[in-house]
């Protein structure tokens, strides 16, 4: 598959490396290629400069948001939550038509520090906003409720967590679930259509709040049935 990724942060890079190492062609997109390549210091989250990361991941191409979106048969959204619609506009909405668009974003507000605030309300989740913004795309909310390192390495010491998804297109959800299973995810919890994104975004808040309260970043979720 050709995978286009919008976002050069921890999520974009982690998933880019995983897709590339599992037989896919990957282009990761940024607002300004030169700026991204010229950074020499880690960002506030400690993510190393892109150029350093690229040395170990030479098979991942770097382009603009538009180039990455055009390139991708499947597009992953991995931008800071509230700017995602802006990133889509920069990438060109037409480049998303009829494609599977995986939305890993969360509606976080760091303006008052950490833990972050939550910027959406019921019925207006980021997943829904994004699907409404690109109605011709098949948006699948996935990967958002766990840390980037867990997305590609799900097995925990305490067992196998579930892969939580939502979206309107059944085939798109199956395709992304199949990819996740090939990465080691066992159970899939399909919550339903894209409006269920709201609950996946709140699930991410549980992960984040628990993380800050206990300085714990390895947890993941499982739905247990009798
Ligand atoms: N980090 C995690 O473990 C984790 C886990 C689950 C979900 N998430 C969610 O996944 C998304 C990505 O998280 P992240 O930590 O990888 O990266 P991030 O720091 O939240 O976002 C990085 C990306 O956002 C883009 N961006 C920033 N401001 C922008 C603007 N005004 N317009 C367009 N694009 C802009 C940046 O573009 P440039 O490349 O041009 O700078 C960069 O590529 C977020 O929504 C986050 O909440 C993160």
């Amino acid at each position: 598959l050709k995978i286009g990724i919008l976002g050069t942060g921890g999520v974009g890079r982690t998933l880019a490396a995983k897709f590339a190492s599992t037989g896919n062609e990957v282009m990761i997109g940024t607002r300004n290629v030169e700026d991204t390549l010229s950074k020499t210091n880690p960002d506030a989250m400690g993510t190393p400069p892109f150029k350093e990361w690229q040395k170990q991941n030479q098979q991942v191409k770097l382009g603009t948001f538009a180039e990455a979106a055009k390139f991708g048969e499947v597009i992953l959204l991995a931008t800071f939550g509230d700017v995602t619609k802006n990133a889509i506009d920069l990438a060109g909405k037409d480049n998303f038509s009829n494609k599977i668009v995986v939305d890993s974003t969360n509606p976080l507000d760091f303006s008052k520090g950490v833990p972050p605030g939550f910027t959406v309300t019921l019925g207006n989740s980021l997943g829904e906003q994004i699907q409404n913004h690109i109605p011709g795309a098949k948006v699948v909310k996935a990967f958002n409720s766990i840390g980037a390192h867990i997305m590609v390495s799900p097995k925990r010491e305490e067992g196998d967590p579930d892969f939580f998804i939502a979206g309107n297109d059944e085939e798109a959800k199956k395709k992304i679930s199949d990819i996740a299973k090939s990465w080691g995810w066992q159970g899939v919890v399909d919550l339903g259509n894209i409006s269920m994104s709201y609950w996946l975004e709140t699930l991410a808040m549980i992960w984040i709040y628990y993380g800050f309260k206990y300085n714990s970043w390895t947890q993941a979720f499982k739905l247990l049935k009798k």
Side-chain angles (χ1 to χ4, degrees):
L1 272 178
K2 287 185 167 179
I3 310 289
I5 296 180
L6 305 196
T8 57
V11 173
R13 290 188 208 183
T14 303
L15 292 184
K18 185 69 179 178
F19 275 116
S21 69
T22 50
N24 303 287
E25 280 183 70
V26 183
M27 184 184 287
I28 190 165
T30 185
R31 276 169 293 181
N32 185 313
V33 171
E34 274 177 31
D35 282 359
T36 297
L37 288 176
S38 68
K39 284 178 188 150
T40 52
N41 292 317
D43 69 12
M45 300 288 287
T47 313
F50 189 86
K51 219 170 173 176
E52 229 169 76
W53 177 85
Q54 208 181 26
K55 285 183 199 153
Q56 269 79 54
N57 296 277
Q58 286 177 5
Q59 68 285 42
V60 176
K61 301 179 186 81
L62 178 69
T64 61
F65 282 151
E67 286 166 341
K70 197 173 229 165
F71 176 86
E73 295 164 309
V74 170
I75 300 174
L76 171 80
L77 301 174
T79 43
F80 186 70
D82 286 353
V83 303
T84 303
K85 282 187 283 174
N86 181 39
I88 290 171
D89 290 343
L90 293 171
K93 281 180 168 190
D94 288 349
N95 287 326
F96 295 82
S97 293
N98 290 318
K99 293 182 183 173
I100 297 176
V101 176
V102 181
D103 170 25
S104 73
T105 68
N106 282 315
L108 307 181
D109 173 8
F110 288 95
S111 64
K112 296 190 177 77
V114 293
F118 188 66
T119 63
V120 300
T121 50
L122 183 61
N124 193 31
S125 63
L126 274 188
E128 290 163 282
Q129 290 181 36
I130 290 163
Q131 180 65 82
N132 289 337
H133 201 60
I134 38 174
K138 302 161 193 170
V139 178
V140 178
K141 189 92 197 177
F143 294 110
N144 72 302
S145 56
I146 28 93
H149 54 295
I150 303 170
M151 297 174 188
V152 297
S153 185
K155 198 166 183 57
R156 313 282 87 201
E157 277 171 18
E158 294 179 5
D160 294 312
D162 286 328
F163 186 68
F164 285 77
I165 54 168
N168 296 341
D169 190 284
E170 299 301 325
E171 266 179 50
K173 283 189 285 192
K174 178 161 185 337
K175 183 146 197 157
I176 299 309
S177 300
D178 286 347
I179 290 171
K181 283 184 192 164
S182 75
W183 294 356
W185 287 91
Q186 301 286 326
V188 173
V189 178
D190 176 359
L191 288 184
N193 70 27
I194 198 68
S195 68
M196 297 304 284
S197 293
Y198 178 78
W199 303 108
L200 293 185
E201 290 165 17
T202 60
L203 192 60
M205 294 308 281
I206 295 178
W207 193 90
I208 292 166
Y209 269 74
Y210 186 89
F212 280 106
K213 184 166 169 57
Y214 297 103
N215 191 23
S216 166
W217 308 103
T218 60
Q219 61 276 4
F221 300 105
K222 185 167 188 65
L223 198 65
L224 295 173
K225 286 163 270 182
K226 193 168 179 187

